[in-house]
C-alpha cells in the first residue's frame, strides 16, 4: 500500500512540475534569438549604452528581415541599441504591448549623431582590430592606454606630464619570449636523457607614448620587439 502511495505521489509531483514549465511564446523567443547573418552587436562597444528616439510609429520585428511585426513603438519612445545591420537596428525598450527586444528600421529612429550608423560600423571594425592586436600581444598607434596594457601587460616604468597641449604619458614595457634550452640528466634507470624546457627571457623593451590617452609614438628602446614589421595604425576611439 505504501509503495502504491509513493508511486502515485511521484506521478503527481512530476505532472505538477511539467505543468509549471512555461513554453516561451514566439514573442519571447524573438527577443532571445541569436543575431542574424550580416548583423553585429553594438551593446558593450561603447562606455555607455547608445540610446535613440523613435520618431514615428515604428513596427518591431523578430529578425533583421523585418517580417512579421511583433508590435510597435510609439513616437517619442527612447530605446537602447543592441545590434545593427545595414538597414535596421535591434533595440530594447517599452513597446505598446510591453517590454520587447526586436528590430526596427533605421529610418524610424533618430539620434543626436546624424552619422550614428556610419560611426557604429567604424567602431565595430576598430573593436575587431583591437581584439586581434590584444590576442597577439601587439600595439598600434591609436590604441588607448587601457588597450595597450591589456595587450602588453603591466608596464615596467611609467611617467606623465601635463602641459598647455594636454596630458602626455609614457609607458615602458619589457618584452619577453620563450627560449628553448636543453638540459641533460638521468632517468630512473640511470640513462642520460635530454630535456627541452622553455625559459622566459627578456628580448627587448618598448616605449609607448600617449597624447591625451591615445598612443602617439612607439619606440624600440632595446632589442627589436616589433619584429621588423613596422608600426600599425588604427583609428582613435570614437566618442558618441
Amino acid at each position: 500500500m505504501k509503495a502504491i502511495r509513493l508511486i502515485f505521489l511521484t506521478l503527481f509531483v512530476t505532472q505538477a512540475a511539467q505543468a509549471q514549465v512555461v513554453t516561451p511564446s514566439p514573442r519571447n523567443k524573438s527577443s532571445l534569438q541569436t543575431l542574424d547573418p550580416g548583423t553585429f552587436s553594438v551593446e558593450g562597444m561603447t562606455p555607455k549604452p547608445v540610446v535613440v528616439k523613435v520618431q514615428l510609429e515604428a513596427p518591431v520585428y523578430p529578425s533583421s528581415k523585418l517580417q512579421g511585426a511583433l508590435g510597435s513603438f510609439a513616437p517619442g519612445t527612447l530605446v537602447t541599441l543592441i545590434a545593427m545591420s545595414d538597414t535596421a537596428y535591434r533595440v530594447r525598450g517599452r513597446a505598446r504591448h510591453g517590454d520587447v527586444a526586436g528590430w526596427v528600421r533605421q529610418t524610424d529612429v533618430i539620434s543626436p549623431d546624424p552619422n550614428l550608423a556610419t560611426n557604429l560600423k567604424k567602431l565595430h571594425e576598430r573593436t575587431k582590430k583591437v581584439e586581434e592586436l590584444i590576442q597577439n600581444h601587439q600595439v598600434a598607434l591609436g590604441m588607448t592606454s587601457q588597450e595597450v596594457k591589456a595587450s602588453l601587460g603591466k608596464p615596467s616604468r611609467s611617467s606623465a606630464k601635463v602641459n598647455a597641449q594636454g596630458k602626455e604619458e609614457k609607458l615602458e614595457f619589457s618584452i619577453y619570449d620563450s627560449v628553448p634550452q636543453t638540459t641533460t640528466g638521468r632517468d630512473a634507470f640511470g640513462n642520460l636523457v635530454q630535456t627541452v624546457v622553455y625559459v622566459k627571457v627578456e628580448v627587448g623593451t618598448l616605449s609607448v607614448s600617449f597624447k591625451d590617452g591615445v598612443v602617439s609614438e612607439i619606440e624600440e628602446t632595446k632589442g627589436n620587439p616589433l619584429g621588423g614589421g613596422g608600426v600599425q595604425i588604427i583609428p582613435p576611439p570614437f566618442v558618441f
Side-chain angles (χ1 to χ4, degrees):
M1 188 68 178
K2 290 183 178 180
I4 294 175
R5 288 181 179 178
L6 181 59
I7 293 173
F8 177 78
L9 180 60
T10 302
L11 290 173
F12 176 78
V13 172
T14 302
Q15 291 173 353
Q18 291 175 344
Q20 292 176 0
V21 175
V22 178
T23 302
S25 65
R27 184 173 299 166
N28 290 334
K29 286 182 179 179
S30 68
S31 65
L32 299 175
Q33 67 183 5
T34 57
L35 291 179
D36 301 329
T39 68
F40 62 88
S41 176
V42 172
E43 205 167 28
M45 284 200 312
T46 57
K48 294 182 180 180
V50 180
V51 178
V52 295
K53 181 189 290 186
V54 176
Q55 63 175 339
L56 45 84
E57 191 75 19
V60 54
Y61 301 91
S63 76
S64 59
K65 296 179 181 179
L66 304 179
Q67 297 175 351
L70 303 170
S72 65
F73 290 107
T77 303
L78 297 179
V79 293
T80 302
L81 261 60
I82 304 174
M84 68 175 291
S85 69
D86 288 338
T87 58
Y89 289 130
R90 189 164 193 254
V91 300
R92 181 190 299 115
R94 184 75 174 179
R96 290 190 180 277
H97 63 279
D99 294 333
V100 68
W103 292 87
V104 297
R105 292 182 175 85
Q106 290 185 10
T107 53
D108 288 347
V109 301
I110 55 175
S111 166
D113 181 0
N115 300 314
L116 178 63
T118 300
N119 287 336
L120 285 174
K121 291 177 182 178
K122 291 180 180 179
L123 179 58
H124 174 60
E125 292 300 320
R126 183 187 185 278
T127 300
K128 289 197 302 182
K129 182 61 179 176
V130 169
E131 290 176 351
E132 180 183 342
L133 289 166
I134 292 175
Q135 184 177 3
N136 295 322
H137 305 292
Q138 296 175 345
V139 64
L141 298 175
M143 293 178 71
T144 66
S145 174
Q146 183 179 4
E147 291 166 348
V148 171
K149 291 176 182 177
S151 180
L152 302 182
K154 184 179 180 180
S156 54
R157 184 178 303 174
S158 63
S159 61
K161 65 178 180 180
V162 179
N163 52 34
Q165 287 72 42
K167 182 179 180 180
E168 296 180 2
E169 183 183 14
K170 180 176 288 187
L171 302 178
E172 189 171 285
F173 297 88
S174 296
I175 307 301
Y176 296 90
D177 195 6
S178 296
V179 178
Q181 292 187 358
T182 303
T183 61
T184 303
R186 295 185 181 275
D187 61 15
F189 302 99
N191 301 316
L192 289 174
V193 293
Q194 289 185 333
T195 304
V196 178
V197 295
Y198 287 85
V199 180
K200 191 176 181 181
V201 177
E202 183 180 302
V203 295
T205 57
L206 204 61
S207 179
V208 184
S209 299
F210 297 83
K211 179 72 173 181
D212 295 330
V214 177
V215 177
S216 58
E217 183 179 343
I218 303 172
E219 180 184 2
E220 294 175 320
T221 53
K222 178 183 176 182
N224 185 27
L226 293 177
V231 176
Q232 301 185 64
I233 303 175
I234 63 171
F238 294 88
V239 178
F240 289 87

